[in-house]
Amino acid sequence: MAKIQLNFLLQRSGCLGSTLAVMKKSSKFLPVIGWSMWFSEYLFLERSWAKDENTLKAGIQRLKDFPRPFWLALFVEGTRFTQAKLLAAQEYATSQGLPVPRNVLIPRTKGFVSAVSHMRSFVPAIYDITVAIPKSSPSPTMLRLFKGQSSVVHVHVKRRLMKELPETDEAVAQWCKDLFVEKDKLLDKHIAEDTFSDQPLQDIGRPIKSLLVVASWACLVAYGAYNFLQWSSLLSSWKGIALSAVGLAIVTILMQIMILFSQSERSTPAKVAPGKPKNNSESSEARRDKQQ
C-alpha cells in the first residue's frame, strides 16, 4: 500500500503526472496498477545488484532529458514492513552492533547510493517522507479503497538539499542509515503523541481538477461500454450473457489478486543475514522513504 499512499500524496500535490518510481520487477504484472506503472516507464529491479546496477543507471540517465520537473520515488527499505521482517532486522542489528530499530527496517543502501551518485548534477533535493497511521483511523487497504472507505494518513516531509549530502559512496550510505535512525525516533513520537510535531497538521485536500478528470474518464468508459453492449448484442442471447459473466468473473479475480498482493502479510518472508564483522555490515530492510 505504500505506493498507493504515495500516489494519493502526489496526486493531491499536483505532481502525479511527472512521478516515476523504482519498483520490484514482479510489480509490473499486477493487474491494472502494475500495468499503469509499466506503461509509465517506471524502473523495475530484480533484487540482484549484478543485474539491477545497469538498469538503475540507464533509467536515471534517461531522466536527464525529462521534459518537466519530476519526482523519482525510491523505497530504500526494498521490501514491505511486517513484524516478522522487523524482528529479523532487530536480530541483524544486534549481531552487527547497529542501533536496534523499533518501527523501521534497516535500509538497503546500494540503490540509494547509486541514485545519488548519478543524479547529483541535475536533481536539487531529496524529499524525505515518513508515513504513519493515526490511532483513530483504520489502516488503508486496497479493499477499503474499492469500497470507497476513507482512511487518515499522517505524512512527514522534509526537504534535504542534494549539495548537503556527503561526497563519497560510503558516507552517503551511512547518511541514509542515520536518516532511518531519525525516522525511528520520529515514529516513536508519533506512536506516543499521535502526531509528528507540535505544528498543526496541514490538510492538503482534494484537488478539483483530479476529480473532474476521474469523473470524465468514468463517464467516457461507461458510455463506451454501453454502446459496445448495444452494438454487440451481448445481453440478447444466452451465449452473450455467458461471455459477459466470464468477463466479470475475470475482472473480479484480477481485483482479488490485486487486493491480496497489497497485503503486507503476504510479502516476501524475512531472512536474517549471517553474522559479519561490524565494519562489513551492509543492510537488511527499512520503512518509508522517497527520493526525487
Side-chain angles (χ1 to χ4, degrees):
M1 283 301 295
K3 180 63 179 64
I4 304 301
Q5 294 169 11
L6 176 60
N7 280 350
F8 282 131
L9 171 63
L10 296 171
Q11 179 256 336
R12 294 191 179 194
S13 302
C15 304
L16 184 58
S18 58
T19 297
L20 303 173
V22 178
M23 303 293 292
K24 183 172 63 175
K25 187 175 182 179
S26 59
S27 301
K28 68 181 179 181
F29 303 112
L30 183 65
V32 184
I33 292 179
W35 303 337
S36 69
M37 292 189 291
W38 195 353
F39 296 147
S40 299
E41 298 186 289
Y42 280 34
L43 306 182
F44 294 99
L45 305 183
E46 300 184 34
R47 289 185 172 177
S48 170
W49 188 241
K51 300 177 181 178
D52 294 338
E53 184 175 11
N54 290 333
T55 300
L56 186 61
K57 180 179 178 180
I60 291 175
Q61 290 299 319
R62 292 199 305 269
L63 294 176
K64 280 187 175 181
D65 301 320
F66 204 77
R68 55 191 296 193
F70 68 89
W71 288 28
L72 176 64
L74 179 59
F75 300 92
V76 188
E77 60 272 43
T79 187
R80 284 172 284 182
F81 182 93
T82 67
Q83 286 301 315
K85 291 180 179 181
L86 176 60
L87 290 174
Q90 291 172 336
E91 291 179 22
Y92 178 81
T94 301
S95 68
Q96 301 300 307
L98 301 173
V100 178
R102 299 171 299 282
N103 311 292
V104 301
L105 306 177
I106 301 172
R108 303 179 178 189
T109 57
K110 281 186 178 180
F112 178 78
V113 170
S114 179
V116 169
S117 66
H118 291 106
M119 300 175 76
R120 281 184 184 272
S121 61
F122 61 97
V123 170
I126 295 171
Y127 286 87
D128 167 26
I129 295 182
T130 306
V131 177
I133 312 299
K135 299 173 184 177
S136 59
S137 175
S139 297
T141 63
M142 193 67 70
L143 184 59
R144 288 183 58 82
L145 179 65
F146 287 144
K147 289 181 177 181
Q149 298 173 336
S150 63
S151 295
V152 176
V153 177
H154 289 173
V155 182
H156 182 273
V157 183
K158 186 170 183 178
R159 190 173 191 266
R160 300 178 184 271
L161 296 178
M162 185 71 80
K163 64 183 181 181
E164 296 178 354
L165 266 66
E167 294 295 329
T168 66
D169 289 351
E170 293 77 10
V172 171
Q174 188 59 50
W175 181 90
C176 182
K177 293 174 183 177
D178 293 341
L179 185 66
F180 272 77
V181 174
E182 291 181 25
K183 284 178 177 289
D184 209 8
K185 295 177 181 178
L186 189 62
L187 288 166
D188 277 339
K189 177 178 177 61
H190 191 279
I191 291 172
E193 303 176 13
D194 218 25
T195 184
F196 282 123
S197 70
D198 298 329
Q199 298 179 358
L201 293 174
Q202 180 180 350
D203 188 347
I204 57 179
R206 299 171 182 267
I208 298 298
K209 179 181 177 181
S210 298
L211 177 61
L212 293 176
V213 170
V214 171
S216 299
W217 273 107
C219 292
L220 185 61
V221 171
Y223 179 74
Y226 175 76
N227 284 338
F228 174 76
L229 289 175
Q230 279 194 323
W231 170 78
S232 62
S233 302
L234 275 178
L235 302 182
S236 62
S237 65
W238 284 110
K239 182 179 179 180
I241 293 174
L243 287 174
S244 300
V246 170
L248 182 61
I250 292 174
V251 171
T252 302
I253 291 172
L254 290 177
M255 292 299 102
Q256 185 65 24
I257 291 173
M258 186 158 59
I259 291 171
L260 294 175
F261 187 89
S262 70
Q263 295 176 355
S264 61
E265 291 79 5
R266 296 177 179 271
S267 59
T268 307
K271 296 180 180 179
V272 180
K276 297 180 181 179
K278 180 178 178 180
N279 61 359
N280 194 35
S281 62
E282 178 53 53
S283 58
S284 179
E285 283 115 357
R287 185 169 167 93
R288 298 270 174 271
D289 198 0
K290 185 195 86 172
Q291 151 133 356
Q292 174 181 330

